[in-house]
Amino acid sequence: MDNQMPKTKKGMISRRGFLKLSAAAAAAAVSTDPSRVLHALVTADTGTVNHQNRSIFSACDMCFNKCGLIARVQDGVLKKLDPNPHSMKSRGMLCARGNAGVRQLYDADRLKYPLLRKGGRGQGKWQRLTWDQALDLCAEQMDRIGREYTRCGFLFMAGTDMQSTFVHRLAAVYGSYNVISHESNCLLSRNRAFLDTYGVVPTADVLNSKYVVMPGANRFEALVTPDSIDLMTAIRNDCKLVVLDPRFTKTAAHAHEWYPIKPGTDMAFFLAVAHVLITEDLFDNEFVAAKTHGIEPLSAHVQQYTPEWAALETEIPARDIRRIAREMAAAAPRAMVYPGRRSSDYKDSTQIRRSYAIVNALLGNWDREGGLIVPPKIKTGTIPFEEPFFDDNPEDRVDAGRAQMMFDEEGSFKHTRDAVIEGKPYPVKGWFTYKTNPMQTGANRQKTMQMIDQLDFMVSVDITMSDTAWMADLVLPAPSYLERQDPVSAFMASSTCSGVITRDPIVPPMFESKPVFWITKELAKRLDLAEHFNFTIDDFRKAQLKDLPEVATALEKEGVYNVVGPTHGLHEGKRFRTRSGKIELFNARYMDHGIDPMPVYTPPAAVPQNRFRIVVGRNAYITQSASTNNSLLWELEQENSLWIHPDPARRLGIRNGEKVTVESRAGSDVLKALVTEKTRPDTVYMDTGFGAISKGLSKIFGKGACIAEVLEDYADAVSGNMAMHETLVTVSRVA
Ligand SMILES: Nc1nc2c(c(=O)[nH]1)N[C@H]1C(S)=C(S)[C@@H](COP(=O)(O)OP(=O)(O)OC[C@H]3O[C@@H](n4cnc5c(=O)[nH]c(N)nc54)[C@H](O)[C@@H]3O)O[C@H]1N2
Ligand SMILES: Nc1nc2c(c(=O)[nH]1)N[C@H]1C(S)=C(S)[C@@H](COP(=O)(O)OP(=O)(O)OC[C@H]3O[C@@H](n4cnc5c(=O)[nH]c(N)nc54)[C@H](O)[C@@H]3O)O[C@H]1N2
Ligand code: SF4
Ligand SMILES: [Mo]
């Protein structure tokens, strides 16, 4: 596309040139080259003649990373999003999804006004309401459910967002402690494991590492800034990357070594690594003696886990396991097992991640360059509020006791859903969802529908008619991240780039959309709780930055505040926030809860011939369920396919591109087969975010398959995190 750009003498594009360019973009949109399309549509430099141009700092929200951006606005219209070079976290990057944010804003499928369901659920009959009608109705239902059942009979669920805090505030002052988020479908078991080993969840100093073993993470497609960028830099600086993944991902493609590990056996690999480090005395003796608790029981425990034994479990040769352990020890402390992010995979995910945490401890990489670090995070202020007490409320959350050590403030989507369906220990009859789409991201879609069937009232706040909104009684339109003012958000990232970022409107809210802050405030008014929302977002931000004037200045000048300074050696001599005050190789608290104090390996269920384990993952241009209907990104993938290895495909008579049925005990769906050696013969895979049931998603309605329909719902025993890789499926040709 670049060489076709019509340019004036000064290198600027003329107005006529821009018109031509738009035509080129339109032409490219119907061409078959997807990268050409993305390129053409997002690089319109329209010159300066007679236009009102403005550049505004903001933070991308196409995924949770909050990459710094600069929005280019012309005559009140957003033309282009550019990376903000000041953001150390995103290191001058805006990915394909970030660029496509323009289309999030100007999408024909945007929700435009409040809608009330008419007719049966999922029939798609809606009546337009005014905001007053919608808010009155919602408040009435909240009030009624609170009185007829209890305050805890109303469930609140908010996804990743800088305004989710207001949904939590509403839940708290309304009096419900049934609050959940996407996190129990994402990373709680990883957090549990690292918290219970180190007393804190660290981040990884990938940039300065010399040896990274990356199990079950896909940093070059599942983008996490700055790690994705830093990993590339580290490789250029001679860092060795070893990837364990049943699929040949883009990360595997850039690795020095890739092992298509048998799914569900990572713990065997790391227990064997621990075995080698201990029996060959390669671990950091001084560090382990000074800072860890339980090396003796651990030494005895890992005796049984030899590389030869692990080879049979993992299908990775024993000599490679032994060599990798020795190489890691030689590179330590600049060597790590990457802690990873999404850990919603197995029933023993906390223990699997504990095995990663323990190997890191043996390498002595804690608080050291190229190891696991905890950089300082800025503490922002808030506007405090008092939680009222309701004496008729139940004792506990509705999902309490269903996992061994659930995070009280997070709970578990899976267990909450079960509890609502069972009506036990008490009825939950209302549901408020904000910016989250469990119909696509909660394994076992049929069960989510059963849960919704139990409800008297469900309200969904979204920017489009997501599958979840499609099931609701009341749908409320929200402005996208490019139209709203948000509080500030402090983040912790690795490699000297913790920081603070915020968001101001790039353009005014489209249609009748209203931010969830305003919605919660209006509901609070109607519920006699106005005193808890007696402020504006501006006031809230001021309170957040009250003691941080330098942050306020940086946000104004550069759109981001970076914490620059050392990131390691910061915790020397400090007590770990664990029971023993040390890093817990052996966790005595677990014993009190009936949990193995050290990870004990149990093999995953065997996969019979002609059945497959189905696994979840990502590619670089899809964000879970939230971007597949974006017209620009949709050009890159219009429906998903089932990855299946050529051997079983041959056996089952399935040819590339043919339609297949994927079936589990949870459900079945139909999609095209992609016959590829990029997955193991016993493992199948599909992208998330297709097979939509909502007719409001015009591009992906009925296109491809919905993986949540097929995934059975299991949970990690310790944390209650959803376990999405336990499902076995059959695959057959559609006749
Ligand atoms: N482009 C893009 N980037 C994203 C996101 C997105 O949706 N799109 N989402 C963001 C979010 S919320 C998160 S949590 C992170 C997720 O980031 P990651 O956790 O790195 O990403 P996943 O793709 O979920 O990675 C899981 C990988 O594990 C592999 N796998 C499956 N089973 C096993 C197993 O038993 N053992 C091993 N070793 N590997 C296994 C899968 O094939 C997959 O490639 O990505 C973030 N970044
Ligand atoms: N099948 C499957 N399930 C998964 C995963 C997977 O990869 N596959 N990944 C897991 C992980 S790691 C995570 S983090 C969770 C994420 O799960 P979810 O929290 O469900 O996240 P998304 O799928 O991104 O859905 C976000 C929703 O917010 C809406 N939205 C986007 N922007 C805005 C906005 O500005 N305002 C409002 N009000 N709404 C907005 C979108 O339209 C969409 O409906 O899913 C987990 N579950
Ligand atoms: S990684 Fe991409 S989508 Fe996510 S915040 Fe950054 S630019 Fe946006
Ligand atoms: Mo996630």
Side-chain angles (χ1 to χ4, degrees), residues 60-67 93-95 97-98 223 225:
C60 181
D61 196 23
M62 293 293 285
C63 83
F64 73 93
N65 277 308
K66 305 189 186 86
C67 295
M93 187 221 48
L94 210 55
C95 76
R97 295 167 296 153
L223 304 182
T225 56

Side-chain angles (χ1 to χ4, degrees), residues 381-626:
T382 187
I383 295 181
F385 62 96
E386 261 178 51
E387 283 181 44
F389 178 77
F390 295 92
D391 49 11
D392 59 339
N393 249 347
E395 286 281 287
D396 223 330
R397 303 178 53 98
V398 73
D399 52 358
R402 290 180 187 240
Q404 291 163 314
M405 268 174 80
M406 210 184 277
F407 286 101
D408 237 11
E409 66 284 10
E410 285 294 342
S412 157
F413 171 75
K414 172 187 154 70
H415 291 312
T416 297
R417 187 177 62 187
D418 284 348
V420 175
I421 293 171
E422 291 161 24
K424 282 182 188 148
Y426 53 84
V428 170
K429 293 291 176 186
W431 194 11
F432 184 112
T433 71
Y434 170 64
K435 205 189 183 202
T436 186
N437 188 13
M439 280 287 290
Q440 282 273 357
T441 53
N444 202 336
R445 181 163 72 172
Q446 291 298 327
K447 264 199 172 177
T448 308
M449 292 194 193
Q450 275 177 42
M451 167 188 174
I452 294 170
D453 273 342
Q454 297 299 312
L455 303 174
D456 289 356
F457 178 72
M458 174 176 173
V459 53
S460 239
V461 184
D462 207 299
I463 56 171
T464 58
M465 187 64 88
S466 70
D467 280 1
T468 300
W470 187 250
M471 298 299 291
D473 297 287
L474 183 65
V475 178
L476 303 178
S480 76
Y481 66 106
L482 298 163
E483 301 150 81
R484 59 180 142 84
Q485 184 188 28
D486 278 339
V488 306
S489 168
F491 51 80
M492 182 183 90
S494 50
S495 323
T496 63
C497 43
S498 308
V500 182
I501 200 154
T502 191
R503 226 175 247 138
D504 283 306
I506 308 298
V507 295
M510 307 265 294
F511 318 109
E512 290 183 15
S513 65
K514 294 282 188 191
V516 84
F517 168 66
W518 182 85
I519 294 172
T520 50
K521 190 174 166 136
E522 288 295 317
L523 288 172
K525 254 191 226 164
R526 288 163 170 81
L527 290 162
D528 240 355
L529 300 166
E531 62 190 289
H532 306 289
F533 282 85
N534 196 12
F535 54 88
T536 62
I537 294 238
D538 253 337
D539 300 334
F540 194 79
R541 258 200 213 170
K542 279 196 189 111
Q544 286 184 295
L545 297 180
K546 192 165 86 52
D547 301 322
L548 302 164
E550 71 287 2
V551 175
T553 312
L555 288 175
E556 205 163 293
K557 272 203 190 141
E558 304 195 323
V560 61
Y561 176 77
N562 301 299
V563 179
V564 183
T567 54
H568 58 279
L570 298 171
H571 305 277
E572 203 42 58
K574 285 188 202 153
R575 197 186 143 86
F576 288 87
R577 278 191 282 177
T578 56
R579 183 186 280 184
S580 64
K582 297 190 168 189
I583 299 169
E584 303 214 321
L585 308 174
F586 181 96
N587 188 316
R589 194 160 148 248
Y590 273 16
M591 285 218 301
D592 300 348
H593 286 80
I595 305 168
D596 291 326
M598 293 175 294
V600 175
Y601 181 74
T602 347
V607 184
Q609 260 260 334
N610 291 342
R611 290 186 75 197
F612 304 87
R613 184 176 298 277
I614 186 164
V615 297
V616 172
R618 294 153 157 71
N619 69 41
Y621 39 86
I622 295 178
T623 299
Q624 289 102 229
S625 73

Side-chain angles (χ1 to χ4, degrees), residues 223-436:
L223 304 182
V224 172
T225 56
D227 296 19
S228 296
I229 305 150
D230 286 353
L231 185 59
M232 206 44 108
T233 312
I235 290 174
R236 245 184 270 126
N237 295 338
D238 290 330
C239 170
K240 181 160 179 180
L241 175 65
V242 176
V243 167
L244 312 183
D245 198 308
R247 297 186 305 126
F248 186 68
T249 60
K250 299 275 193 299
T251 312
H254 284 90
H256 298 88
E257 295 178 24
W258 164 59
Y259 296 94
I261 189 169
K262 183 171 159 194
T265 67
D266 295 70
M267 190 201 289
F269 183 93
F270 290 105
L271 288 172
V273 168
H275 171 98
V276 175
L277 294 177
I278 291 173
T279 56
E280 298 187 9
D281 197 22
L282 298 174
F283 66 97
D284 188 332
N285 278 260
E286 202 183 313
F287 177 89
V288 165
K291 305 217 183 299
T292 70
H293 167 76
I295 184 65
E296 277 170 24
L298 180 71
S299 302
H301 179 61
V302 299
Q303 277 305 317
Q304 57 187 313
Y305 298 125
T306 63
E308 287 67 28
W309 162 83
L312 296 173
E313 292 299 324
T314 58
E315 299 179 4
I316 299 174
R319 62 172 185 283
D320 289 322
I321 302 176
R322 193 167 266 118
R323 178 180 49 78
I324 289 167
R326 290 174 184 159
E327 288 177 357
M328 289 189 91
R334 288 176 187 262
M336 68 166 84
V337 183
Y338 185 73
R341 192 171 161 94
R342 186 178 65 82
S343 56
S344 49
D345 39 16
Y346 296 99
K347 289 187 276 191
D348 57 348
S349 281
T350 295
Q351 295 286 17
I352 294 173
R353 301 278 160 159
R354 273 269 290 159
S355 74
Y356 302 9
I358 287 169
V359 169
N360 281 311
L362 294 174
L363 294 170
N365 67 19
W366 180 254
D367 198 22
R368 291 207 172 132
E369 224 173 4
L372 302 187
I373 53 171
V374 184
K377 186 177 168 183
I378 297 279
K379 270 212 179 74
T380 52
T382 187
I383 295 181
F385 62 96
E386 261 178 51
E387 283 181 44
F389 178 77
F390 295 92
D391 49 11
D392 59 339
N393 249 347
E395 286 281 287
D396 223 330
R397 303 178 53 98
V398 73
D399 52 358
R402 290 180 187 240
Q404 291 163 314
M405 268 174 80
M406 210 184 277
F407 286 101
D408 237 11
E409 66 284 10
E410 285 294 342
S412 157
F413 171 75
K414 172 187 154 70
H415 291 312
T416 297
R417 187 177 62 187
D418 284 348
V420 175
I421 293 171
E422 291 161 24
K424 282 182 188 148
Y426 53 84
V428 170
K429 293 291 176 186
W431 194 11
F432 184 112
T433 71
Y434 170 64
K435 205 189 183 202
T436 186

Side-chain angles (χ1 to χ4, degrees), residues 94-126:
L94 210 55
C95 76
R97 295 167 296 153
N99 277 280
V102 183
R103 287 299 182 87
Q104 196 94 332
L105 175 66
Y106 300 124
D107 188 329
D109 284 345
R110 283 280 301 268
L111 288 169
K112 300 184 178 58
Y113 26 73
L115 293 171
L116 176 68
R117 176 170 68 84
K118 289 274 139 190
R121 269 192 211 287
Q123 285 184 350
K125 291 193 183 133
W126 303 98

